[in-house]
Structures are given as C-alpha cells and as structure tokens.
C-alpha cells in the first residue's frame, strides 16, 4: 500500500542535531538520498538495536550516496548520551515539539502492552535527491528495517 506522503515534498522544518548543527529539511537533504528514521526513545531495547544496525551498515549507505538521520522527541543531551554509549556514527535529530513527526503522522496515539499514550511510531522516510518523499515504511521492525531501506536505496539509485 502506498503511503499518502509518497511522491510529496517533505515539510520545511529545522531541527537541532546531536552534532551541534541545525538541519534544515528538505534543503540539507537535497542532492543525495536521505533516510529519516523515527524512533520512540533513546537507549531502549528496540531503538538501540535499530540504531546500532544503522551504525554497523553506515558505510554501505554512504557507498550508495545516502545520508542517515535518526529522529526522536528526546533532548540533545539524551541523544549525545545515546551516541556515546553505543558509538553511533550518524546524527540524531531532536523533534521535541513534533514539528516534523506531527505533520508526517509519526507522532500520535501509540499502544504498548495494552497502554495507550502519545509518542512516536517507528516509521522511516526515504527522500530522493530532489527532496521528495520516495518511500515510507510505517511501524517497522527494528531488526529488519535497515536491510529493507538499504535495498530500496540501491534499487532507486540504479534507476
């Protein structure tokens, strides 16, 4: 099923980055493939598996000409601790006001162990070099999403 965001331009937003920079999207993503993966919380089991998997495969994303950004509602301080603890080698962006996750439908009601709460779902967006959203994955499996996204970038880069 095609997500309603596929084929559309990413909303204009500026987010603080763990590397001390401000990332202006989609402008800072133009010219290369860019993967934006949203995750619920720093230093939790599923989010750690997902982040470490991107870390371990970052060279392959680079060879494919793709940038990778992880995005959550966590603070920059939390991001820096998460990066330090697990040796993450790509920037994490902070979206505490849901400036990007809200419009994209990532932030909202979530359910875990029978509890409903407001938070981020584990969704991933692939931007083309033109800043357009080429592919969306919703509620991904943190152990499988890295291979799926890399395959999609490699396939798209060949066309």
């Amino acid at each position: 099923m095609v997500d309603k965001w596929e084929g559309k331009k990413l909303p204009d937003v500026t987010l603080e980055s763990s590397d001390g920079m401000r990332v202006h999207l989609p402008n800072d993503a133009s010219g290369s493939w860019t993967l934006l993966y949203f995750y619920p919380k720093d230093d939790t089991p599923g989010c750690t598996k997902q982040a470490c998997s991107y870390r371990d495969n970052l060279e392959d994303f680079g060879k494919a000409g793709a940038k990778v950004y992880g995005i959550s509602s966590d603070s920059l301080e939390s991001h820096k601790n998460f990066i330090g603890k697990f040796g993450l080698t790509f920037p994490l962006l902070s979206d505490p006001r849901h400036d990007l996750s809200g419009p994209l439908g990532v932030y909202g009601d979530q359910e875990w162990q029978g509890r409903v709460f407001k938070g981020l779902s584990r969704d991933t967006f692939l931007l083309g070099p033109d800043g357009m959203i080429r592919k969306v994955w919703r509620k991904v499996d943190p152990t499988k999403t890295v291979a799926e996204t890399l395959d999609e970038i490699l396939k798209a880069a060949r066309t």
Side-chain angles (χ1 to χ4, degrees):
M1 174 153 64
V2 174
D3 190 272
K4 70 178 186 175
W5 278 97
E6 289 180 21
K8 295 185 178 168
K9 185 175 182 246
L10 187 74
D12 289 325
V13 67
T14 300
L15 299 175
E16 298 289 331
S17 175
S18 59
D19 62 8
M21 306 297 288
R22 302 182 101 208
V23 176
H24 307 280
L25 296 170
N27 293 352
D28 288 346
S30 65
S32 66
W33 292 95
T34 302
L35 195 70
L36 304 175
Y37 84 89
F38 291 85
Y39 64 97
K41 187 134 183 71
D42 289 340
D43 204 6
T44 56
C47 298
T48 298
K49 286 178 191 171
Q50 187 176 21
C52 289
S53 188
Y54 276 113
R55 176 202 64 204
D56 295 346
N57 290 278
L58 195 61
E59 186 176 334
D60 292 330
F61 282 92
K63 287 178 184 175
K67 300 176 187 175
V68 174
Y69 294 101
I71 305 172
S72 78
S73 301
D74 293 308
S75 69
L76 290 176
E77 183 177 336
S78 176
H79 282 344
K80 288 175 186 175
N81 291 336
F82 188 39
I83 287 169
K85 185 174 181 179
F86 294 101
L88 303 181
T89 53
F90 55 90
L92 300 179
L93 307 180
S94 183
D95 187 17
R97 295 183 312 273
H98 312 105
D99 295 335
L100 186 57
S101 58
L104 292 177
V106 176
Y107 177 77
D109 287 341
Q110 308 299 322
E111 185 176 341
W112 189 68
Q113 294 185 340
R115 254 182 10 126
V116 177
F117 59 94
K118 293 285 187 195
L120 298 186
S121 57
R122 195 179 306 279
D123 297 342
T124 302
F125 293 75
L126 176 61
L127 307 180
D130 57 1
M132 301 296 282
I133 299 171
R134 299 291 181 90
K135 178 89 175 155
V136 177
W137 294 265
R138 298 284 184 178
K139 300 191 185 307
V140 301
D141 179 326
T143 62
K144 296 179 183 174
T145 186
V146 174
E148 292 171 354
T149 56
L150 182 58
D151 286 347
E152 187 68 27
I153 291 167
L154 292 171
K155 183 174 77 174
R158 286 191 296 263
T159 60

